[in-house]
Amino acid sequence: GSDMRGALLADVDFDQANMEDAMVVLGTAQLSAQLQMTLRDHASWVDSNGAEGARADLEGADLSNAKLSGTYLSGANLRECNLSWARMAHCDFVLADLAGANLMGTDLRHGDFRGADMTGATLRGAKLADSNFGTALVDGGEGRGSAARRPANLTRADLTKADLTGTNFGSATTTDAIGIDNDAP
């Protein structure tokens, strides 16, 4: 039941830990300590409406193949983060909060965005080929089953001139999104 959101978890082994009802973003545990601190400061900035912490500015950052190297951003709080022109191909953003994030021109090819909240995100000119914006199953933890399903949310997102080749929108919410043909089969 502990709250470890924002804790620096680099190189921590949770294999034998009882994580029942714990609030932790294990997906970021494999990130560098520096990136974890940036994300922690960003979460503090979001939670305090800018009074504490600092907005994460990862413009042009190279996090490509993060999923393939064992690190990912699943469940991360990246709300209103600047990730413009970053290289993030093959990253895992399952259930991440990217609402209002600036992802303009970002390379997000083969990204996994199942259940991510991208409400109002700017994805103009982003490379999203072969990405998945489907539905994520929300795990009940400790072997408890869960019927909760959360679709990706692209409400009011701007995907003008984004490369959407082979992208799966599944049951994603795309209300008032720009650059997606909501009438397509």
Side-chain angles (χ1 to χ4, degrees):
S2 61
D3 184 350
M4 296 188 297
R5 292 176 294 186
L8 297 181
L9 301 172
D11 301 320
V12 174
D13 181 3
F14 288 100
D15 284 346
Q16 301 299 314
N18 177 352
M19 303 298 287
E20 186 171 349
D21 297 322
M23 293 179 284
V24 61
V25 180
L26 292 175
T28 60
Q30 299 300 315
L31 300 175
S32 71
Q34 179 62 39
L35 187 52
Q36 286 187 51
M37 287 189 298
T38 298
L39 295 177
R40 180 193 62 201
D41 290 346
H42 180 76
S44 180
W45 178 82
V46 170
D47 291 343
S48 70
N49 292 319
E52 298 174 11
R55 180 181 184 198
D57 186 350
L58 298 169
E59 181 176 354
D62 187 0
L63 296 170
S64 53
N65 295 318
K67 182 177 180 181
L68 300 179
S69 65
T71 58
Y72 51 100
L73 295 164
S74 180
N77 182 350
L78 298 166
R79 178 178 288 269
E80 297 182 28
C81 183
N82 181 12
L83 292 160
S84 60
W85 305 104
R87 291 173 302 284
M88 303 178 83
H90 295 278
C91 279
D92 187 342
F93 295 96
V94 174
L95 298 171
D97 185 351
L98 290 152
N102 181 358
L103 297 155
M104 182 169 47
T106 302
D107 182 356
L108 297 161
R109 291 170 295 147
H110 304 281
D112 190 350
F113 296 92
R114 289 174 294 136
D117 183 0
M118 301 182 81
T119 303
T122 300
L123 294 143
R124 280 179 264 137
K127 297 175 184 174
L128 292 162
D130 300 311
S131 290
N132 184 0
F133 289 91
T135 301
L137 288 175
V138 180
D139 185 4
E142 294 298 314
R144 294 185 303 246
S146 173
R149 297 180 189 278
R150 182 171 150 189
N153 186 352
L154 290 155
T155 300
R156 296 183 313 281
D158 183 355
L159 291 103
T160 303
K161 296 186 180 181
D163 178 3
L164 303 176
T165 307
T167 297
N168 172 20
F169 288 103
S171 59
T173 303
T174 58
T175 307
D176 297 326
I178 302 167
I180 298 177
D181 182 2
N182 286 316
D183 294 327

